[in-house]
Amino acid sequence: MKESVLTDKQKEEIREIIEQQIQEADKELKVLKELTAAVEPDSSIGRISRMDAINNKTVNDAAYRNTRTRLKRLKNVLEKVDDPDYGRCVRCGEPIAFGRIQIMPEKRVCVHCSK
Ligand SMILES: [Zn+2]
């Protein structure tokens, strides 16, 4: 059997981080969805003009797509934490710094390969 990059304790920690980030991304997605839906001038967007609303919608649409992609990746990676290769860079095969995994658990490449 192949040796894991992360210890069981580290995996446990990462799993909690991922679950927390999924919850946050989920919440963010709901807010963004409401924002992107609110483009009618007489809707609840308050005093901002319709032009502003349209500009905001473009920004919010992009944010919505980014968050949705991230959420998908987080859910995907949650199933991979137990994989012996999780924590190892998929490009160069070196272990990824634990601090990096803690911040961006959905990234599968090390800091050198991400440049
Ligand atoms: Zn690498």
Side-chain angles (χ1 to χ4, degrees):
M1 196 179 146
K2 219 169 165 186
E3 203 183 316
S4 282
V5 180
L6 300 178
T7 65
D8 286 346
K9 200 165 172 266
Q10 285 176 321
K11 283 181 187 173
E12 198 53 51
E13 193 185 330
I14 293 301
R15 209 175 285 122
E16 273 171 31
I17 290 171
I18 296 172
E19 275 165 8
Q20 203 185 331
Q21 290 193 2
I22 286 175
Q23 278 181 18
E24 280 166 16
D26 239 346
K27 247 185 261 168
E28 213 177 299
L29 212 57
K30 277 187 194 117
V31 174
L32 286 168
K33 195 166 189 167
E34 278 171 32
L35 288 174
T36 55
V39 78
E40 297 303 317
D42 56 349
S43 70
S44 58
I45 46 174
R47 278 178 288 170
I48 55 167
S49 71
R50 189 174 163 77
M51 267 313 267
D52 280 345
I54 290 167
N55 286 339
N56 286 341
K57 183 171 164 51
T58 310
V59 172
N60 290 332
D61 276 344
Y64 180 80
R65 278 195 302 274
N66 285 343
T67 306
R68 198 180 49 189
T69 305
R70 183 148 184 272
L71 185 61
K72 211 189 276 176
R73 278 192 194 138
L74 284 166
K75 282 180 175 169
N76 199 314
V77 93
L78 189 59
E79 294 164 16
K80 297 203 165 75
V81 176
D82 277 324
D83 200 319
D85 274 335
Y86 180 78
R88 195 181 290 281
C89 175
V90 292
R91 248 176 246 172
C92 70
E94 290 295 316
I96 302 171
F98 190 62
R100 175 174 166 82
I101 303 174
Q102 284 175 306
I103 300 165
M104 295 175 288
E106 78 277 18
K107 294 276 196 305
R108 304 296 307 271
V109 292
C110 75
V111 66
H112 307 290
C113 294
S114 72
K115 281 173 190 162

